[in-house]
Amino acid sequence: MSEAGPDPARGRLFLVTGPDAVERVAVAVSLARALDRSAVVDGEVIDGMLVSGRMPTDGPLTAERLGQLLLRWSAALAAAETFQLEGFDAVVTDDVQGAHLEDFLDLAAPETVHLVVLRHPSLAPDTPRWGLWVDDDDRSAEETSTHVLDHLDDTRVVTAEPG
């Protein structure tokens, strides 16, 4: 199912995001299974690698907490790029919403990101309307991943101007 991009030897980068961790991971895994060569990179797993000094993920957004979010996303993107360089599509899954979606995409630049936003009642209302938004309905993770692949062009977010 993989389509050739600008560098056919390099895998694509996907981001599956939304506030419901169980749904997000299920869709990411299902999507990865539907691709020819793929890996899932879970931001929560990366966050769990911090053994001491880890900031809580809830509460007020302090400078240190924001720094750890950026560290988490940078590490997830570094792992994703390692897979992509070997020709695997990388499906990153994390709760990246609101104004932070732009921060994540800035870290991913100049990579094109296939963005899937799982709409949920607790999704931050200021989340930019980029990528493919999938309604929180009664679809299974497999049905959602099929929908994503059927609308792959709608997921594409270009993070850098062609130059």
Side-chain angles (χ1 to χ4, degrees), residues 5-51:
D7 180 358
R10 183 180 175 87
R12 297 170 291 183
L13 176 62
F14 289 81
L15 171 61
V16 176
T17 189
D20 185 324
V22 172
E23 178 187 18
R24 190 174 64 233
V25 171
V27 169
V29 169
S30 179
L31 177 60
R33 285 186 177 140
L35 300 168
D36 291 336
R37 291 170 45 98
S38 62
V40 173
V41 179
D42 187 340
E44 288 189 13
V45 171
I46 301 250
D47 190 57
M49 293 177 181
L50 293 175
V51 175

Side-chain angles (χ1 to χ4, degrees), residues 117-133:
V117 178
L118 303 175
R119 194 182 317 226
H120 187 275
S122 64
L123 183 70
D126 62 337
T127 302
R129 294 283 313 199
W130 300 325
L132 178 66
W133 284 48

Side-chain angles (χ1 to χ4, degrees), residues 43-66:
E44 288 189 13
V45 171
I46 301 250
D47 190 57
M49 293 177 181
L50 293 175
V51 175
S52 61
R54 182 172 164 246
M55 296 296 298
T57 57
D58 55 354
L61 185 64
T62 63
E64 188 173 358
R65 185 168 158 243
L66 177 59

Side-chain angles (χ1 to χ4, degrees), residues 4-162:
D7 180 358
R10 183 180 175 87
R12 297 170 291 183
L13 176 62
F14 289 81
L15 171 61
V16 176
T17 189
D20 185 324
V22 172
E23 178 187 18
R24 190 174 64 233
V25 171
V27 169
V29 169
S30 179
L31 177 60
R33 285 186 177 140
L35 300 168
D36 291 336
R37 291 170 45 98
S38 62
V40 173
V41 179
D42 187 340
E44 288 189 13
V45 171
I46 301 250
D47 190 57
M49 293 177 181
L50 293 175
V51 175
S52 61
R54 182 172 164 246
M55 296 296 298
T57 57
D58 55 354
L61 185 64
T62 63
E64 188 173 358
R65 185 168 158 243
L66 177 59
Q68 285 191 7
L69 276 174
L70 296 173
L71 172 64
R72 169 180 171 158
W73 297 334
S74 294
L77 288 166
E81 184 173 30
T82 301
F83 290 113
Q84 288 177 267
L85 289 171
E86 293 301 320
F88 287 83
D89 292 327
V91 182
V92 174
T93 178
D94 207 340
D95 184 7
V96 184
Q97 54 179 310
H100 295 303
L101 181 56
E102 187 169 358
D103 296 331
F104 182 94
L105 294 172
D106 285 345
L107 289 171
E111 189 76 33
T112 294
V113 178
H114 292 274
L115 174 61
V116 178
V117 178
L118 303 175
R119 194 182 317 226
H120 187 275
S122 64
L123 183 70
D126 62 337
T127 302
R129 294 283 313 199
W130 300 325
L132 178 66
W133 284 48
V134 180
D135 287 325
D136 184 1
D137 55 17
D138 292 329
R139 276 187 244 214
S140 68
E142 292 75 21
E143 290 168 328
T144 300
S145 64
T146 298
H147 178 75
V148 167
L149 292 172
D150 288 345
H151 296 89
L152 196 57
D153 284 343
D154 296 333
T155 68
R156 191 180 316 268
V157 177
V158 178
T159 62
E161 294 295 321

